[in-house]
Amino acid sequence: MRQKLLLDLAAEADRKSVELKGAALPGQATCVMLPVVDMDPNECFCRRFETGTEVIAIRFPLGTVAEIPKLRVNNEHESCLKNKSFRESVDAIGMSHITAAQMSGADYDGDTCV
C-alpha cells in the first residue's frame, strides 16, 4: 500500500512539473549576450525595447545585488546597426565587456540574461 501511494505521489508530481507553464512579467525577456567593443558600460543595444528604455539585466547564478546593472537601451548605436546579427535579432542584447564582467563574470559564449 505504501509503495502504491508513493508511486502515485511521484506520478502526480511529475505530471504537474510537465504541465507547469512559467509566465513572464510584463516587459521581461531572455536575451543572449553579445559583445559591443565601443558600447558605454551603462548602455545596451536590444531590439526588444525602445531606445531610451531603462532595463535591468540579471544573469544567473546571481551572487549579489552589485552584479545587476541598470542599462539604458541605445538602438541607434552605429556599430550595432552595421552588424547583421544585431539588426535582425530580437533575442540578443549587446553590451560592453565591462558590464558583462560585472554580471558574475559573464562572457559571450552563449550566456543569457533576463
Side-chain angles (χ1 to χ4, degrees), residues 42-98:
N42 62 344
E43 290 185 334
C44 67
F45 183 95
C46 188
R47 302 299 267 178
R48 278 195 181 267
F49 303 105
E50 297 288 325
T51 296
T53 303
E54 287 188 336
V55 297
I56 301 294
I58 300 176
R59 179 181 168 270
F60 298 100
L62 179 64
T64 67
V65 178
E67 296 175 353
I68 304 174
K70 182 178 180 182
L71 308 168
R72 186 178 52 83
V73 176
N74 179 4
N75 289 335
E76 307 300 323
H77 196 274
E78 286 185 40
S79 65
C80 293
L81 293 173
K82 292 177 185 176
N83 187 322
K84 184 177 179 181
S85 298
F86 284 113
R87 284 194 323 266
E88 296 181 359
S89 177
V90 294
D91 294 325
I93 182 168
M95 61 180 63
S96 156
H97 70 281
I98 296 168

Side-chain angles (χ1 to χ4, degrees), residues 28-44:
Q28 180 178 328
T30 301
C31 297
V32 175
M33 297 168 55
L34 297 175
V36 181
V37 176
D38 57 345
M39 180 73 72
D40 288 337
N42 62 344
E43 290 185 334
C44 67

Side-chain angles (χ1 to χ4, degrees), residues 3-22:
Q3 183 178 5
K4 168 126 176 54
L5 290 173
L6 287 172
L7 288 173
D8 289 347
L9 177 66
E12 181 181 356
D14 189 48
R15 180 182 51 77
K16 287 183 178 181
S17 70
V18 169
E19 293 173 359
L20 181 66
K21 294 180 181 163

